[in-house]
Amino acid sequence: MADLHGVSLAMQTPFKDDGSIDYDRFCDLIDRYIDAGVHGVVISSGSGQHPYLTEEECNKLLSVGVERIAGRASVVMQTSALNMSEVLRRSIAAEGLGADAIMVLPPFFEGPVTDDGIFKFYEEVNKVVGIDIVGYNIPAATQVEITPELYRRLLELENFNYIKDSSGDMIKTQMLINEGGKVLNGADPIAPYAFMAGAYGAIWGSANFMPEECVELYNLVDKGKYNEALELWAKMFPSSTYLWYNNYIPAVKAAARYMGFDAGTVRTPLAEIPEESVKQLIKSLEPLKS
């Protein structure tokens, strides 16, 4: 089983002005994030604009990333797709290219609505890989929820050992934790409380612009230093909540530029946040510089 404890960076994908991927900058950023202490890297994450990358681009990012990371951190690859055969093909390729685990959304566009249907989907993925599967629970985006009851069933699958919970509902997060398995928090504004409740780690978009703080927060909670953790969290909270309630991915990119982790622009159809929003974002980042 892969060890995905701690902070796994939901890594941004660097783009050049013409929209092509900047692989050189990708490698440079990987080094900087690992130097900052991140425990893992999630390639082709939501923050990396997974829906707007081609399958070929995703595989190249993984190949380049695995080589660059060279065992210094765990590597998770998102293999989500609408087409079942594509999910399986991407998942098999990810294992072959050296990923430690794959992250897979449940079928999310006019897909199965019953627990039996969703279980069958993950069962098919489980059959074709020998690495860990990270289920991805983000009901606000998919309109599909992996409930505690369904999670309990999914844990019976040999490779389904993790779930990323981006529900943002601390009660539901605690319920998932209580089912066993390993829960990775994916909701920025509840990070310290999820860690205190027993989350195994996080897959974290905000680590693109404050990697050292995210890692330190996790480590402080892990050591039981809750007062120090909450003092740090007071500096992280304004930007975390700003992103959560605004245009998340373009805001992450803008914040990363401002904090010195420039990965270029977003790829269309996403657009940069407007100037007034940039001002609000920068204000939310100021406590990190104090």
Side-chain angles (χ1 to χ4, degrees):
M1 182 190 301
D3 187 2
L4 306 182
H5 81 284
V7 175
S8 291
L9 165 70
M11 188 169 174
Q12 58 181 334
T13 301
F15 296 109
K16 299 177 183 178
D17 291 342
D18 63 2
S20 62
I21 296 175
D22 189 336
Y23 292 99
D24 290 337
R25 186 177 292 187
F26 177 64
C27 289
D28 289 342
L29 284 170
I30 283 174
D31 289 342
R32 294 187 61 198
Y33 288 133
I34 291 176
D35 287 345
V38 300
H39 304 91
V41 178
V42 181
I43 295 172
S44 189
S45 66
S47 298
Q49 290 193 245
H50 174 81
Y52 308 120
L53 299 172
T54 68
E55 185 175 349
E56 181 181 3
E57 287 174 328
C58 289
N59 288 340
K60 183 173 180 181
L61 279 168
L62 178 58
S63 177
V64 171
V66 167
E67 182 177 0
R68 190 70 172 202
I69 292 166
R72 294 178 291 164
S74 62
V75 181
V76 179
M77 177 67 174
Q78 180 168 196
T79 61
S80 304
L82 288 173
N83 182 282
M84 184 79 237
S85 63
E86 183 178 341
V87 173
L88 299 180
R89 187 173 65 243
R90 283 173 175 260
S91 299
I92 293 168
E95 181 174 13
L97 290 168
D100 297 302
I102 55 173
M103 182 172 71
V104 190
L105 286 163
F108 55 90
F109 186 74
E110 298 184 352
V113 295
T114 65
D115 282 3
D116 287 344
I118 298 168
F119 181 87
K120 178 66 175 176
F121 167 81
Y122 280 112
E123 187 177 42
E124 291 300 309
V125 178
N126 182 73
K127 289 177 182 177
V128 303
V129 296
I131 56 176
D132 286 296
I133 299 167
V134 181
Y136 191 173
N137 187 44
I138 182 167
T142 62
Q143 304 304 307
V144 177
E145 182 175 2
I146 299 177
T147 63
E149 294 76 18
L150 175 56
Y151 182 46
R152 188 185 313 134
R153 289 182 61 188
L154 289 167
L155 287 173
E156 296 174 5
L157 298 172
E158 180 180 2
N159 300 310
F160 196 105
N161 297 310
Y162 290 92
I163 187 168
K164 177 187 178 183
D165 180 37
S166 296
S167 68
D169 186 326
M170 193 58 227
I171 296 173
K172 291 181 178 178
T173 298
Q174 179 74 69
M175 292 172 70
L176 290 171
I177 291 170
N178 287 353
E179 291 298 334
K182 294 180 172 61
V183 176
L184 305 173
N185 178 58
D188 301 36
I190 65 169
Y193 313 108
F195 296 152
M196 291 176 190
Y200 196 67
I203 295 179
W204 207 341
S206 291
N208 281 291
F209 63 86
M210 52 177 176
E212 292 181 355
E213 289 85 355
C214 291
V215 171
E216 184 180 359
L217 181 74
Y218 172 81
N219 288 339
L220 287 170
V221 174
D222 189 49
K223 295 173 182 176
K225 297 181 178 181
Y226 299 141
N227 289 338
E228 292 178 46
L230 292 175
E231 288 177 9
L232 173 60
W233 180 240
K235 299 179 180 181
M236 301 169 66
F237 183 70
S239 57
S240 296
T241 50
Y242 178 85
L243 266 68
W244 194 252
Y245 290 109
N246 287 279
N247 199 349
Y248 187 91
I249 296 170
V252 165
K253 272 268 174 117
R257 282 196 296 271
Y258 181 74
M259 296 297 289
F261 297 92
D262 187 0
T265 186
V266 293
R267 174 180 275 185
T268 56
L270 293 187
E272 296 292 342
I273 59 176
E275 186 59 35
E276 185 56 39
S277 296
V278 172
K279 294 177 182 178
Q280 296 171 11
L281 173 62
I282 289 175
K283 183 177 180 181
S284 76
L285 294 167
E286 288 305 315
L288 294 173
K289 296 196 169 188
S290 63

